[in-house]
Amino acid sequence: MKKILMTPGPTMIPEDVLLEMAEPIIHHRTKEFQEVLKDVEEGLKYVFQTKNPVFIFASSGTGGMEACVCNVLSSTDRALVIVAGKFGERWLELCKAYKVPCEVLDIPEGDAPDPEDIRKILQKEKINAVFSTLCETSSGVVSDIEAIGKICKEYETMLIIDAISGLCADPFFMDDWNVDVCVSGSQKGLMMPPGLSFVAVSKKALDESEKKSDLPKYYFSFKKANKALEKTDTPFTPAISLIKGLSVALERIKKEGLPNVIERHNKLAQATRASISALGLSLFAKRPSNALTSVRIPEGIEVSKLYNRMRDIYGVNIAKGQGELEDKIFRIAHLGYVEIFDIITTISALEMTLSDLGFSINFGDGVSEVEKAFKR
Ligand SMILES: *Cc1c(COP(=O)(O)O)cnc(C)c1O
């Protein structure tokens, strides 16, 4: 059976990236690897839209999130964490693990934070850093980081963004939007296997980490990473093969052009949403991300049955909900190495699965919307 992976991480990987990673290993303290690292650093700056250094860690995305918390904050600081789903919650858990006092702005899942609510909290309290999420992958919502950035700048509060699933799918401009620290990971929009996290760090956040931060850290130290990066080097053995693969993936993004990559994701998202509505299903996210589409499960159907059947019978791996949403929504990602025919396949498999499970649909109603949206 031919299989496709339509999940919000890991995502599918282009053949040239896979082949690059299959090459014999090279040593990292060589000119050859330095050239790769230099290219990758440039490519990462381009996708983050920043002039800041971008540190590369061998970890999943969460490792990069942990690096943000333990480098930028101090034990006497106070953080504001915006929680609109599972990944906002992860910021909160990380702050708690490092015993950083937190203010929490809790938002119902499916909603996006209202930037004015953040202003109200910053007006009242001394907050050192605001933690938010570009695309909250558990609900499929994209936040207005540009507006949040303006407010944080007004109050001279650092802004730390999890753009792990949003990067390359939703518009994001680290420098123009006043973001101090931004984290992403390899297995999402960057079309790579899991295993790398990336953290872009502003001058202000780097100063904070080098001069003030007293939280414990070793491997994830920004100071160590920065010192090495200034010499186009890494403090420890880097994930050499992954970084070589990343250079090919970033080359693809540069060639397509970041604005075109984001426009492609936008088109895929619009086509997916149109087809879902045409099938009589309802969309979950109020401010939907380009990275994935979250769909309410219709009455009488179990998410796990739909999910298992789509994967096992039709070869299309989508995602269930997470946490409290596990059996309430399903999620179709259109993230990374995805084109319109992957969406057609997915919607076709969804139509057949819904029909198998006794939900009334007309075959082709969803698929034809994908084609129409694509031709629009
Ligand atoms: C995937 C993801 C993460 C990180 O997950 P890992 O499993 O640690 O790579 C964090 N935040 C968001 C928004 C994500 O989508």
Side-chain angles (χ1 to χ4, degrees), residues 22-228:
E23 290 278 314
I25 193 81
I26 59 169
H27 199 276
H28 52 292
R29 311 288 183 213
T30 56
K31 197 118 203 100
E32 189 184 358
F33 184 72
Q34 259 191 336
E35 288 301 319
V36 177
L37 195 58
K38 218 165 79 190
D39 271 358
V40 162
E41 188 60 20
E42 232 171 75
L44 287 172
K45 284 180 175 163
Y46 175 58
V47 294
F48 278 88
Q49 290 288 291
T50 187
K51 292 196 173 69
N52 295 320
V54 187
F55 305 137
I56 304 172
F57 298 105
S59 75
S60 84
T62 306
M65 293 173 77
E66 179 153 354
C68 296
V69 170
C70 69
N71 279 282
V72 172
L73 293 174
S74 297
S75 49
T76 52
D77 282 352
R78 205 171 171 76
L80 167 60
V81 184
I82 301 165
V83 179
K86 179 102 181 134
F87 293 103
E89 223 172 271
R90 189 161 301 176
W91 276 135
L92 184 60
E93 286 166 4
L94 279 162
C95 286
K96 283 185 178 161
Y98 283 90
K99 302 192 166 57
V100 174
C102 286
E103 197 62 40
V104 182
L105 177 60
D106 238 319
I107 289 140
E109 282 197 82
D111 289 3
D114 178 352
E116 288 309 310
D117 289 343
I118 296 162
R119 179 193 298 282
K120 279 178 206 149
I121 296 170
L122 297 185
Q123 265 168 353
K124 264 199 334 248
E125 291 197 52
K126 171 84 187 103
I127 298 285
N128 301 80
V130 173
F131 288 83
S132 189
T133 313
L134 176 62
C135 166
E136 175 49 78
T137 320
S138 64
S139 67
V141 165
V142 63
S143 294
D144 187 353
I145 301 301
E146 185 177 14
I148 297 172
K150 278 188 185 138
I151 292 167
C152 288
K153 192 177 182 194
E154 252 179 72
Y155 292 87
E156 291 178 12
T157 302
M158 273 190 292
L159 177 59
I160 298 159
I161 297 299
D162 168 356
I164 297 180
S165 62
L167 199 72
C168 298
D170 292 308
F172 179 76
F173 302 90
M174 178 171 183
D175 294 357
D176 290 352
W177 291 0
N178 307 306
V179 174
D180 287 285
V181 186
C182 178
V183 54
S184 197
S186 53
Q187 79 275 25
K188 313 252 169 151
L190 286 164
M191 310 178 282
M192 285 277 298
L196 294 176
S197 67
F198 315 107
V199 188
V201 183
S202 72
K203 178 86 181 59
K204 183 178 169 186
L206 199 57
D207 277 351
E208 202 79 9
S209 73
E210 291 185 353
K211 298 187 184 127
K212 191 177 150 224
S213 170
D214 59 359
L215 298 179
K217 53 197 151 284
Y218 189 86
Y219 177 76
F220 285 116
S221 157
F222 285 177
K223 191 175 179 173
K224 285 192 180 80
N226 192 51
K227 207 173 146 205

Side-chain angles (χ1 to χ4, degrees), residues 242-351:
L242 288 176
I243 291 175
K244 282 182 69 187
L246 180 64
S247 75
V248 176
L250 286 166
E251 199 51 50
R252 292 180 74 102
I253 292 170
K254 266 190 269 177
K255 212 164 159 193
E256 186 176 352
L258 187 62
N260 299 324
V261 171
I262 289 166
E263 184 49 32
R264 171 167 52 84
H265 282 85
N266 180 33
K267 258 192 150 167
L268 296 174
Q270 285 190 30
T272 306
R273 293 199 296 265
S275 71
I276 291 298
S277 300
L279 289 172
L281 302 179
S282 82
L283 298 163
F284 181 70
K286 299 219 177 90
R287 198 173 188 277
S289 163
N290 289 340
L292 73 154
T293 297
S294 50
V295 184
R296 281 176 210 277
I297 191 78
E299 194 88 38
I301 293 188
E302 278 174 46
V303 172
S304 58
K305 279 202 178 136
L306 177 114
Y307 164 82
N308 287 335
R309 196 167 175 86
M310 269 183 85
R311 188 193 55 202
D312 298 341
I313 307 293
Y314 300 105
V316 178
N317 200 154
I318 60 164
K320 304 189 237 187
Q322 284 175 292
E324 278 175 27
L325 292 173
E326 182 167 352
D327 52 6
K328 295 193 173 71
I329 64 169
F330 61 90
R331 297 171 299 152
I332 299 170
H334 18 74
L335 180 56
Y337 185 47
V338 176
E339 54 161 41
I340 198 73
F341 293 103
D342 298 314
I343 305 294
I344 289 179
T345 302
T346 303
I347 297 300
S348 170
L350 176 64
E351 288 181 356

